[in-house]
Amino acid sequence: MSSLSLRDNPYVLTGLSLALLYGAAKVVKNGLSSRRRAPYPPGPKGYPIINNLLEIPTPSEHPWLVYEEMAKKYGDMIFLRAFSQPILILGSAKRMNDLFEKRSSTHSGRPYSIMLDQLLIGGIILHITYGYEPKPTGDPYIAIAHEVEGAFKIVAVPGTFLVDNIPILKYVPAWMPGAGFQRFAAYYKKADHLAKSMPYQFVLDAMKRNEAEPCAVTRLIEDLPSPKDPRYAEDEEDILNVAGVSYLAGTDTTTGVMTMFALLMILYPEVQRKAQAELDRVVGTSRLPDFGDRDELVYVKAVITELLRWFQATPMAVPHTTSEDNYYDGYFIPKGTIVMGNAWAVLHDPEVFENPMEFNPERYIKDGTFNTELLDPLSFSFGFGRRICPGMHLVKDVVYLMVASTLAMFEIHPSKDESGAPRNVELTFDSGVVVLPGPFDSDIRVRSSAAEHLMKSLSE
Ligand code: HEM
């Protein structure tokens, strides 16, 4: 995927002269029309015309780490420009609260991206949204969704594609050398349509046969006007998009959290054992944990909270934009600025969390009860203000059930090599807007004969 990066892509060369002309024109225009009476927030000086283009990290550089490093020099607000596109990075809870929450009405737009516009906008979510039970392996709906998510992860990071900064490049024909972004967009546009229309068609067909399971989409379809109504086509398109976006936004993120959970259980076996001892004590071994056990499972709750603090599936959330010029703390933030909050930095701030890189559920336990005094990772992991993730509460419940049931039934170990020695597990990240842990081997076994018995009785 690195060939898609701004700096490495060959079409950078093809478009360079266009870029410089366009950039120069924009810079002159902005200079003439600028009415600001305060400085921009601090940030690197940049270069003529392209401004900070070369300082903006690509997805593979893990932007949340680069911005955390930059914050040491410029503070908790960093102002950058990719050509004339202003970008503001917020690095502290205070800045995020002040701008995303208190000024939510003017800080909740979404950046317009030519690539996103051309392109696009898990099992449980597929089920809730479409009432569809996916196949355990090789499910076609999951496969196509993963493909689209893979593209979204890259495209949604501001600055990944030069065409978003130099719109004139969208007229470069797909056959031209270096116009790979055009072919990328065309391919994923089709994939995006399939990812949304395939499960929708599945529900329609099931409804015709009277076999549809009640789900979000059946409810919406029931409320559609008659097919003869002029609003029908538009309303149907809305259902396709609402369901598709929920499904696509929820699948990779939740998968990332659960995959990281498995990896952490391998790396911290004593945490796994302690949580299992609590489950055995509170729930016993003859049934699965349910929501009624939640309050008593203090250590399991601490494991989940620490998981959501330690790992962010969306470390820089999803970019917002400002809908009007505004002044904040003596600085000028222009209309159209892309604003991103570095949630990772807040949740790894050593002044708030002792040894923040350590996975330590105990930090959330005080005198044997759950410690509510410590910053709640949920306030930062799911975005901000009026754009906050609508799937957040579903995720809390799903992750609780999955973590508690997995620990109750299974042991997660590192895989073994030919000599029987445990393999080292390396922590790698596959990154974009959504970050997933890289692949790793594991050895997952049923915990006990009681767990085996329970599994059999549940599948009967
Ligand atoms: C671990 C799991 C998840 C994480 C970390 C996560 C995180 C986020 C973040 C950071 C945003 C952007 C918020 C902002 O712009 O400030 C977002 C938006 C969104 N999420 Fe989630 N999400 C998760 C799961 C889900 C699930 C399960 C669903 C649906 C079933 C969902 C549906 C959405 C939708 C529709 C949006 C767009 C909201 C908007 O633009 O107004 N997400 N999510």
Side-chain angles (χ1 to χ4, degrees):
M1 285 300 181
S2 61
S3 63
L4 296 167
S5 113
L6 198 62
R7 279 168 242 164
D8 312 333
N9 201 314
Y11 78 80
V12 168
L13 293 176
T14 317
L16 198 60
S17 49
L18 277 175
L20 291 176
L21 270 175
Y22 176 84
K26 280 287 249 186
V27 168
V28 170
K29 182 172 169 269
N30 285 347
L32 290 176
S33 66
S34 171
R35 277 178 283 120
R36 71 191 166 97
R37 293 186 193 98
Y40 294 123
K45 198 164 175 291
Y47 299 91
I49 299 171
I50 62 169
N51 288 316
N52 306 106
L53 191 67
L54 303 178
E55 278 131 323
I56 295 170
T58 57
S60 62
E61 288 170 318
H62 298 164
W64 61 97
L65 296 179
V66 177
Y67 289 130
E68 200 209 15
E69 204 49 43
M70 260 191 213
K72 289 180 188 151
K73 185 162 178 197
Y74 299 104
D76 58 0
M77 282 205 295
I78 308 167
F79 189 79
L80 301 148
R81 278 172 177 273
F83 286 96
S84 60
Q85 172 62 59
I87 299 173
L88 182 64
I89 310 295
L90 308 177
S92 70
K94 176 181 165 26
R95 299 299 188 194
M96 290 175 215
N97 279 328
D98 283 355
L99 293 179
F100 287 137
E101 305 291 341
K102 294 186 190 151
R103 296 191 186 182
S104 191
S105 63
T106 52
H107 286 70
S108 295
R110 286 279 189 235
Y112 173 75
S113 151
I114 290 177
M115 280 305 277
L116 262 184
D117 192 51
Q118 298 286 313
L119 274 173
L120 18 113
I121 59 132
I124 292 169
I125 295 144
L126 205 53
H127 193 249
I128 291 170
T129 316
Y130 300 103
Y132 170 76
E133 197 66 58
K135 296 190 181 81
T137 53
D139 187 275
Y141 297 175
I142 301 249
I144 189 86
H146 273 316
E147 224 178 306
V148 175
E149 283 155 0
F152 174 78
K153 273 168 39 166
I154 296 162
V155 171
V157 176
T160 304
F161 285 91
L162 202 55
V163 65
D164 283 335
N165 296 310
I166 310 163
I168 201 168
L169 284 176
K170 77 177 172 189
Y171 300 110
V172 173
W175 51 262
M176 252 181 82
F181 70 99
Q182 294 279 28
R183 296 187 285 278
F184 180 90
Y187 176 81
Y188 282 104
K189 194 174 181 179
K190 273 193 211 143
D192 176 54
H193 179 71
L194 276 178
K196 288 176 186 160
S197 59
M198 275 167 50
Y200 179 76
Q201 193 57 46
F202 164 84
V203 179
L204 276 186
D205 293 347
M207 284 176 87
K208 276 186 203 142
R209 297 192 306 273
N210 270 332
E211 287 171 8
E213 251 197 61
C215 62
V217 171
T218 52
R219 290 268 307 272
L220 291 168
I221 290 177
E222 278 158 11
D223 288 344
L224 273 173
S226 137
K228 288 184 193 132
D229 191 307
R231 289 170 303 148
Y232 182 87
E234 203 180 310
D235 286 4
E236 191 183 42
E237 186 67 22
D238 284 348
I239 300 179
L240 219 80
N241 284 325
V242 166
V245 167
S246 299
Y247 169 44
L248 294 171
T251 307
D252 247 12
T253 42
T254 314
T255 308
V257 169
M258 284 312 297
T259 312
M260 187 51 88
F261 161 71
L263 203 150
L264 286 167
M265 290 305 99
I266 294 177
L267 295 174
Y268 294 85
E270 70 291 353
V271 170
Q272 183 174 178
R273 275 193 295 275
K274 222 170 158 176
Q276 283 165 335
E278 184 185 66
L279 281 157
D280 290 348
R281 184 170 47 78
V282 173
V283 182
T285 51
S286 58
R287 65 174 178 88
L288 282 177
D290 58 29
F291 289 121
D293 305 310
R294 209 169 185 169
D295 288 342
E296 264 190 274
L297 294 170
V298 174
Y299 191 76
V300 170
K301 187 172 175 187
V303 170
I304 294 169
T305 312
E306 177 68 344
L307 167 67
L308 294 172
R309 181 201 71 83
W310 194 89
F311 171 70
Q312 276 78 62
T314 48
M316 302 281 302
V318 177
H320 291 203
T321 53
T322 49
S323 52
E324 48 189 58
D325 284 353
N326 68 108
Y327 292 88
Y328 168 64
D329 206 12
Y331 295 111
F332 175 66
I333 305 170
K335 176 180 173 181
T337 299
I338 292 177
V339 191
M340 288 190 282
N342 191 346
W344 186 92
V346 171
L347 295 172
H348 290 78
D349 181 349
E351 297 203 353
V352 181
F353 299 100
E354 208 183 320
N355 295 329
M357 301 307 283
E358 190 191 336
F359 179 76
N360 175 19
E362 308 283 345
R363 70 174 88 242
Y364 282 104
I365 297 178
K366 197 175 169 190
D367 305 328
T369 57
F370 188 79
N371 179 6
T372 47
E373 285 163 22
L374 212 52
L375 192 69
D376 181 359
L378 289 178
S379 341
F380 292 91
S381 324
F382 289 89
F384 313 96
R386 55 179 66 178
R387 284 288 185 181
I388 198 159
C389 172
M392 180 169 130
H393 298 290
L394 173 68
V395 173
K396 261 170 74 177
D397 291 350
V398 166
V399 170
Y400 162 72
L401 282 184
M402 285 173 88
V403 164
S405 310
T406 306
L407 289 172
M409 302 295 280
F410 301 100
E411 277 176 9
I412 309 172
H413 298 286
S415 65
K416 295 200 170 77
D417 65 18
E418 298 70 29
S419 68
R423 284 201 178 87
N424 273 341
V425 176
E426 263 190 58
L427 196 57
T428 58
F429 295 102
D430 161 20
S431 92
V433 162
V434 180
V435 173
L436 289 175
F440 60 94
D441 286 330
S442 60
D443 177 6
I444 300 178
R445 296 183 198 167
V446 181
R447 262 183 82 202
S448 60
S449 51
E452 204 165 335
H453 184 71
L454 179 58
M455 258 174 70
K456 274 198 191 120
S457 68
L458 288 171
S459 58
E460 275 161 11

